[in-house]
Amino acid sequence: MLNIGLILPDVLGTYGDDGNALVLRQRARMRGIDAEIHRVLLGEPIPSTLDVYTLGGGEDTAQILAAEHFIKDGGLTRAANAGRPILAICAGLQVLGTSFRASGRMVDGLGLIDATTAGLAKRAIGEVVSRPTGTVPGLTDTLTGFENHLGATILGPDATPLARVTRGNGNTDSTAATAAGASADQVGTEGAVQGSVIATYMHGPALARNPQLADLLLARAMDTTVEKLGPLDIPAVDRLRSERLA
């Protein structure tokens, strides 16, 4: 049985990122693997022994509530320390960093990602396309998603970018990077990878638009390889990718 954690969908579920858990479950079931989604709501304890965890996006108040819950509960930190794969989207990325700006102030994050998030002068919104940096072994396909954020995320030395943008904004822009005293190579980065955490600003849902990434997460969750999982032939997914990349 594959146990998929959908973490705080009541506060981090604004942009349809719950779909990432659905994609993982369906791609597992299509291979004959029993899989269930475990919804963990605000105020509930987060199990540290699930096989894979997904977090979505949300607004400022939701981010603050999520950060406070994660820090107090400790379950997600224990899961990360045990090497359980975690996928964090947008606000989820920011909350798992060391600090982020919300409601006009800097807020402590969970610290699973060496990243700080301040603010962009102009909202980054629209299609984003990026090329993997190699920080996730086996991830070679071009990544596609929809970004919608005001965060300017600067990665520290312990985190590495998931990808580099070929279209769209990504983690930060040159103005925000300069204001933060960050190096120029921060501009054009997308997402972050650290330990078992993969984080990105891509909505879509990200795993529906990037099946290779979905299968890499499944393989990690099941302690196997993508090759052993075997391929899935889903023409609708191929058409979706072609449309979004066109």
Side-chain angles (χ1 to χ4, degrees):
M1 171 68 74
L2 179 71
N3 294 295
I4 302 163
L6 178 55
I7 309 302
L8 306 194
D10 47 342
V11 293
L12 296 179
T14 305
Y15 300 104
D17 300 307
D18 295 12
N20 290 315
L22 295 172
V23 169
L24 289 173
R25 184 178 69 181
Q26 185 63 14
R27 293 184 74 85
R29 288 180 174 179
M30 292 178 75
R31 292 179 166 98
I33 302 164
D34 289 337
E36 295 295 339
I37 295 172
H38 301 265
R39 290 169 56 90
V40 181
L41 303 181
L42 187 67
E44 297 178 349
I46 300 172
S48 59
T49 56
L50 301 178
D51 298 305
V52 59
Y53 297 76
T54 64
L55 291 73
E59 305 303 330
D60 283 14
T61 300
Q63 285 181 263
I64 295 169
L65 290 171
E68 291 173 346
H69 180 69
F70 291 154
I71 292 169
K72 180 179 179 180
D73 176 78
L76 200 60
T77 298
R78 291 190 293 274
N81 290 341
R84 311 281 181 177
I86 299 169
L87 175 69
I89 308 296
C90 198
L93 184 165
Q94 298 178 16
V95 167
L96 295 192
T98 55
S99 63
F100 59 94
R101 178 170 290 280
S103 298
R105 62 186 176 93
M106 293 302 292
V107 180
D108 288 339
L110 189 57
L112 296 184
I113 304 172
D114 185 10
T116 59
T117 300
L120 293 170
K122 181 181 179 182
R123 177 172 289 274
I125 183 167
E127 291 290 315
V128 59
V129 178
S130 60
R131 293 175 180 160
T133 59
T135 52
V136 176
L139 183 62
T140 56
D141 287 352
T142 298
L143 298 170
T144 167
F146 187 88
E147 61 181 349
N148 182 7
H149 65 95
L150 268 170
T153 298
I154 303 297
L155 304 185
D158 293 333
T160 53
L162 172 65
R164 294 204 68 87
V165 171
T166 58
R167 186 171 78 191
N169 187 87
N171 291 348
T172 190
D173 61 17
S174 58
T175 301
T178 299
S183 61
D185 61 4
Q186 292 272 354
V187 179
T189 59
E190 206 296 309
V193 178
Q194 185 170 339
S196 64
V197 178
I198 298 174
T200 174
Y201 275 109
M202 294 186 297
H203 300 291
L207 296 188
R209 295 174 62 153
N210 301 284
Q212 186 185 60
L213 178 58
D215 283 348
L216 285 166
L217 282 165
L218 275 180
R220 288 187 178 187
M222 300 183 67
D223 195 23
T224 187
T225 64
V226 172
E227 291 73 22
K228 289 181 179 178
L229 283 178
L232 291 176
D233 183 18
I234 311 175
V237 173
D238 296 334
R239 290 196 299 272
L240 173 65
R241 280 185 59 77
S242 295
E243 175 189 309
R244 294 296 86 195
L245 289 169

